Amino acid sequence: SISKIKIDKQNKILLPYFKKEVELSHLTKSVYFLFLKHPEGIALKELGNYRKELLAIYTSVSNQLDYDKMSKSIDDVVNLETKAIYTHLSRIKSAFYKIMDASHANNYVISGNGEENRKVLFNTNAIDWYVYDPIEDYEL
């Protein structure tokens, strides 16, 4: 069976069924969130078209304060010549394989080869995303 994915207030990726957290760096997590937000998949050669969205995700996930440094990191990820995207895809796969067997992990990792769209096979409608609620965070 497949666990729902829960993204909490701190952007932790939780798998309630397995009682596990998927631990990723902020940048790798941002890449994963980008793919979760695009269930149709993303062709890596078109990754540059998602630069602005990826930077926005990274800005919200990271505790990094240097915007120029963050922007440079995103440039490296979307530039296929650096091959940085492959490092992040590999780290995502490794993080899931570390906490569950391959038959389960394959539902959560970013799949695809060569020119085909890369995507997460998991049904993204089953993701419980934390949505900021200022009323909930308001303390008297």
Side-chain angles (χ1 to χ4, degrees):
S1 59
I2 298 173
S3 179
K4 210 176 163 167
I5 294 177
K6 182 176 181 355
I7 313 292
D8 76 2
K9 192 175 182 174
Q10 285 80 36
N11 292 302
K12 289 182 182 174
I13 303 169
L14 307 168
L15 303 171
Y17 177 82
F18 294 107
K19 295 180 176 65
K20 301 273 187 187
E21 177 185 349
V22 182
E23 296 188 30
L24 299 169
S25 71
H26 291 134
L27 185 55
T28 302
K29 189 179 287 187
S30 299
V31 169
Y32 190 59
F33 286 177
L34 177 71
F35 280 89
L36 288 179
K37 290 176 182 287
H38 291 278
E40 72 285 0
I42 297 172
L44 293 187
K45 67 179 189 237
E46 294 173 13
L47 201 54
N49 298 341
Y50 297 88
R51 183 194 179 284
K52 206 175 193 175
E53 184 178 0
L54 184 55
L55 181 58
I57 294 168
Y58 187 37
T59 304
S60 72
V61 168
S62 178
N63 53 11
Q64 170 75 253
L65 298 175
D66 186 340
Y67 185 81
D68 291 337
K69 191 173 177 183
M70 293 173 73
S71 186
K72 168 79 173 91
S73 296
I74 296 302
D75 288 342
D76 287 345
V77 170
V78 300
N79 177 357
L80 294 185
E81 290 176 17
T82 68
K83 300 193 184 317
I85 186 63
Y86 299 104
T87 302
H88 294 288
L89 296 177
S90 178
R91 287 177 183 161
I92 291 163
K93 188 174 185 177
S94 174
F96 279 98
Y97 275 55
K98 196 161 74 177
I99 61 173
M100 65 183 72
D101 66 75
S103 64
H104 287 102
N106 289 334
N107 294 293
Y108 300 99
V109 299
I110 298 168
S111 304
N113 294 306
E115 297 288 310
E116 67 187 24
N117 278 9
R118 307 290 174 113
K119 61 182 167 187
V120 178
L121 300 177
F122 183 79
N123 176 1
T124 55
N125 293 329
I127 298 173
D128 182 7
W129 291 90
Y130 168 76
V131 178
Y132 176 70
D133 180 353
I135 304 300
E136 181 183 304
D137 283 354
Y138 184 78
E139 292 185 30
L140 297 171

